[in-house]
Each structure stands twice: as structure tokens, then as C-alpha cells.
Amino acid sequence: MRARFFYGWVIVAVTFVTMAIGVNARTAFSLFFPSIVDEFQWERGLTAGAFSFGFIVSAVFSPLIGRMMDRFGPRIVMETGVLLMAAGLLLAPLTTQIWHLYLTMGLLVGGGSVCLSYTGQSLYLPNWFVRKRGLAMGLAFAGVGIGSIIMFPWIGYVIAHAGRRSASTPLGIVMLVVLVPINLMVRKRPQDMGLLPDGDSAGSGAVVQTKRPTVVIVNPAWAATDWTLRRAIGTARFWWLSLGFFCGLYSWYAVQVHQTKYLVEVGFSSNVAVWALGAVSLLGIPGQILLGHWSDRIGREWIWTISGLGFVVCLFALIGLAYLPSTALLYLMIVAQGFFGYGTTSVMAAVVVEIFEGKQYGSIFGTVMLAGLAGGAAGPWITGLLHDWYGDYTGAFLLSIAFSLLGCAAIWFAAPGKVRAVAGRAHLFDPHAKPVTSDAT
């Protein structure tokens, strides 16, 4: 039995809009970066370090956000993030010293973004879906792509014609006007509203099983464990997940922060460089949706690998652009990064929840993201330092390629599919494996 309308899709819609504005407000640092470097003549490593500092702040906040989610729910977490990011963006135009940049775009924007971005949303959105978890996450996170094609050209235009200060203030206002009210609608789990995941219904308090298995428990002993943060940290799987997240976000943000400036240096116009950043996020829309959908059928490990290889191809294309700045290589870089690379986000929550599902999932995921955000901080910083030392990006991009491949291997060692198999792979396992509608708490 199924309800006519499932409130989980409202949660997906709110997440979509929140990601569209919140994530792109943080990513806009890549657009502000060239004008900041040109205005103040600060070293790139030092300037990019503000973005990296924001990730360090996010990493420090991440376990705390997980505990806040477990205790207070998503509304408090989301609204806290909105207020912090808006404050940072509204104060950023006053920047005249490097520490001002680290305070506004680093501490406030970076600290707030952990609530509104993939980390914060992944703490509660998976509770609403099991059978369609990958698809729901892909749809919600596709908001980043839609937001980018609206926000990046606008921000780029304002920066080009009125300066970076005139772009930051309205961005902060938009966050307050739009995101504060809509995030009052979010709830932590469907059970809080008398519902079940995927819109399944219950009669007389009993769970009604669907005809199709939503997830198959492959390792009953592991799945039956009451996972606390302490227990999780004591397992190898936790550390493989942490390594995978570190490596994945290292490569992601090493490219994202330096891409715009790099493309201008190898011969493309600033307009093309801004367009490329938006096009990457645009292609992330179908990529995240389709790869999320496919992950419900072929498994999370395969999608993480496909996404990781997308970044490998992207980075090789970027290296090639230094020697042959052709449109074909530019398009290859955009497609590989956007359609394939960004698919990582559609399975980030799933690979953790399908190993450590339980009452303390928020704390566990937040702690895993501590490693991921550390990678996101290290990527832009180390890439900037290597450029300052050697005068080009080749060595830095090769290092990012190595991290991408290592991250793919780490997720296979974590093996979420050996704990809970997605419905599309249920037939590959022991027929005595237990099909369930949900393990959601």
C-alpha cells in the first residue's frame, strides 16, 4: 500500500533549492579568486588557502554537525548554515587584508557550507528513501547544476562589470530571503510524520512489505550491530571509507578552485573559463541523476569508480590543454568532470549508510566527512603550492590523478555491497539473504 503523495519528495525539492544556492555560493570562490589575486597581488597558494581553510573549518565542524543532527534534527542545522554563510558573504566586500578573506570566505562561508552542502544533506535525506535512495540523492544534488547555470553567469557578469564586492552582497541577501523559510519544512525521517521510506504505508502499526526487495542484507551479523561512532572507528571499513572520501574530495576541489584561472592562463578568455565552470555543473545534473539511478542497480562501488575515472580523464585533459589548448580537449574535460565526476555525490551518503545504518549514523557520517573535507582543504592548497614552486600545474594534476585512483580502490575495500546489496544486485546473492523494506531508524 502506498500513500498518494510522499512528503519525501518535498524534502528532495527543498534540498534541491538549498544545494542550488548554498553549494554554488561556496563554489563561487573560484570566480572571485582571479580578481582577488589581481587586486591584492597575493600568492595563489596563500589566496587559495582561504578556500582550503574553509574546508578545514568544515572538517572540524563536521562531527559536531552530525551530533547536532542526531540531537536536534535538520531544521536547526540548516538554518545555522544559512546564517553563517550569509554573514560571510555580506562581510566579504569589506576585505582588505588576507585575514579578512580567511575570516569571511573561510571561517563563515566554509563553516556554514558544511551544513547546507553534501555533508549536511546526507545526514538525513537517506532516511527518506531506501529503494530509490540513489535516484533521490541524485535528483536533490542536481540542484547544484541548475543553480550553477543561473548563478555563475550572473556572478561572473557582476564581477566583470562592477567588481567582486558588488557580487558578494546580493548573494548573501538571496540566501537569507530564500533559504531561511524553505528549510523550516524539513524533517529528519519519515517516521516523524507517521510515514515510511519510499512512501510505503503501514496498517495498524505493522510494516507492509513491498513486492520488490529494496535492499538485501548480505552480512546479517554486521547489519544487526548497533553501530556507535566508537564501534565504527574500530573497523577497517570506517578507515577505508575515510580514505576514499579524502581522495575523492582532494581531486574534486583541486580542479574546481584552480580551473578558472588555469583555463585563462592556457589561452581561453575569462568568459569561456566562467562558462566552462558552469557547464561542468550543468552536466552534473543528468550525471548525478543517472549515476544515482544506476547505483540502485549496479552498486555504489561501481558508480564511485566511474566517477573517479571521470576525474582522471578530466585531469589528463587539463594537462593536455597546456600543450594543445583545443576546444575538443576543453569539451572532454567538461564532460568527464561534470557528467561522470560529479556522480560521486549521488553515492556518498549511500556508501556510509549501507555500512553503518543506525541511530548514530549522523555522527558516523559526520566523522567520515572529516576526512573528506580534509581532502577538500588539502587539494586546492597543495595544488596552489605546487604551482607556486614549479611554475605550472602538471605535477599537481598528476598527484590529483593518483588520489582519484586510490580513492576508487578504497571504496571497493570498504565494500558497502557486501553488507547491504542494492535491489538490482539482489539476485547475485544467497537466496536466503533477508529482503527488507528499510533499516531506517
Side-chain angles (χ1 to χ4, degrees):
M1 186 175 179
R2 187 179 301 277
R4 289 185 178 180
F5 176 76
F6 180 43
Y7 195 80
W9 296 114
V10 174
I11 301 297
V12 169
V14 172
T15 302
F16 182 97
V17 176
T18 301
M19 299 280 282
I21 298 174
V23 173
N24 287 303
R26 180 189 66 190
T27 306
F29 183 88
S30 181
L31 302 180
F32 293 123
F33 181 72
S35 62
I36 293 172
V37 171
D38 292 342
E39 177 180 351
F40 296 108
Q41 295 299 305
W42 294 329
E43 292 183 352
R44 293 186 201 189
L46 182 64
T47 307
F51 188 85
S52 297
F53 178 66
F55 264 89
I56 294 172
V57 173
S58 297
V60 172
F61 282 2
S62 185
L64 175 62
I65 296 302
R67 291 182 180 274
M68 285 179 62
M69 185 69 72
D70 289 340
R71 185 170 182 180
F72 302 112
R75 277 179 288 182
I76 295 297
V77 172
M78 296 301 123
E79 302 294 10
T80 299
V82 171
L83 295 177
L84 286 173
M85 287 195 74
L89 290 166
L90 293 172
L91 290 172
L94 303 177
T95 297
T96 57
Q97 303 292 327
I98 190 66
W99 70 267
H100 296 165
L101 186 66
Y102 276 66
L103 173 63
T104 57
M105 300 300 287
L107 178 64
L108 294 175
V109 173
S113 69
V114 71
C115 302
L116 305 184
S117 65
Y118 304 100
T119 303
Q121 309 297 345
S122 295
L123 293 173
Y124 75 101
L125 183 56
N127 295 335
W128 287 85
F129 298 89
V130 177
R131 182 172 56 257
K132 297 180 179 178
R133 181 174 284 160
L135 175 62
M137 300 294 287
L139 285 168
F141 291 172
V144 177
I146 294 292
S148 71
I149 63 175
I150 297 172
M151 293 176 63
F152 287 168
W154 167 59
I155 294 171
Y157 177 85
V158 173
I159 292 174
H161 291 81
R164 63 176 180 84
R165 292 175 173 82
S166 298
S168 183
T169 299
L171 192 53
I173 294 172
V174 167
M175 294 199 68
L176 291 173
V177 172
V178 177
L179 298 188
V180 168
I182 68 170
N183 276 284
L184 296 175
M185 302 171 65
V186 298
R187 299 294 186 274
K188 184 178 180 181
R189 54 173 64 91
Q191 289 87 342
D192 296 340
M193 302 179 67
L195 303 173
L196 292 173
D198 293 305
D200 296 330
S201 299
S204 302
V207 176
V208 177
Q209 298 289 339
T210 59
K211 293 180 179 179
R212 293 175 297 165
T214 60
V215 65
V216 171
I217 294 178
V218 181
N219 188 333
W222 185 283
T225 302
D226 181 14
W227 288 108
T228 63
L229 178 58
R230 177 173 293 185
R231 286 196 185 103
I233 289 175
T235 67
R237 278 192 165 105
F238 175 90
W239 295 105
W240 283 121
L241 285 173
S242 298
L243 178 61
F245 275 53
F246 178 92
C247 293
L249 293 189
Y250 179 102
S251 300
W252 182 310
Y253 288 102
V255 172
Q256 190 178 83
V257 170
H258 291 272
Q259 173 181 304
T260 303
K261 186 69 171 175
Y262 175 78
L263 290 177
V264 172
E265 286 187 344
V266 298
F268 294 97
S269 69
S270 59
N271 288 335
V272 170
V274 171
W275 168 82
L277 186 64
V280 166
S281 295
L282 176 62
L283 283 175
I285 299 169
Q288 288 169 325
I289 294 171
L290 289 175
L291 291 175
H293 179 62
W294 291 340
S295 78
D296 292 329
R297 282 149 178 75
I298 67 175
R300 318 304 183 190
E301 297 95 329
W302 282 109
I303 297 303
W304 191 290
T305 301
I306 290 170
S307 299
L309 293 177
F311 271 106
V312 169
V313 173
C314 162
L315 286 155
F316 273 124
L318 284 170
I319 293 172
L321 283 170
Y323 303 95
L324 182 64
S326 67
T327 303
L329 273 180
L330 177 66
Y331 286 162
L332 176 62
M333 182 276 293
I334 291 170
V335 172
Q337 182 185 171
F339 187 87
F340 294 102
Y342 277 26
T344 304
T345 61
S346 65
V347 295
M348 285 176 65
V351 297
V352 181
V353 75
E354 288 169 8
I355 294 175
F356 294 116
E357 190 163 355
K359 293 180 180 179
Q360 292 194 25
Y361 161 70
S363 298
I364 295 170
F365 183 86
T367 306
V368 170
M369 277 303 298
L370 177 64
L373 293 170
W381 179 57
I382 292 176
T383 299
L385 285 180
L386 290 174
H387 176 276
D388 292 340
W389 290 344
Y390 298 107
D392 62 47
Y393 281 104
T394 301
F397 287 162
L398 288 173
L399 181 60
S400 292
I401 289 171
F403 273 117
S404 289
L405 296 173
L406 179 59
C408 293
I411 297 302
W412 281 100
F413 280 113
K418 291 185 178 180
V419 177
R420 292 176 174 88
V422 297
R425 294 178 62 83
H427 65 284
L428 300 178
F429 294 89
D430 187 341
H432 297 294
K434 181 183 178 183
V436 297
T437 299
S438 174
D439 293 348
T441 56

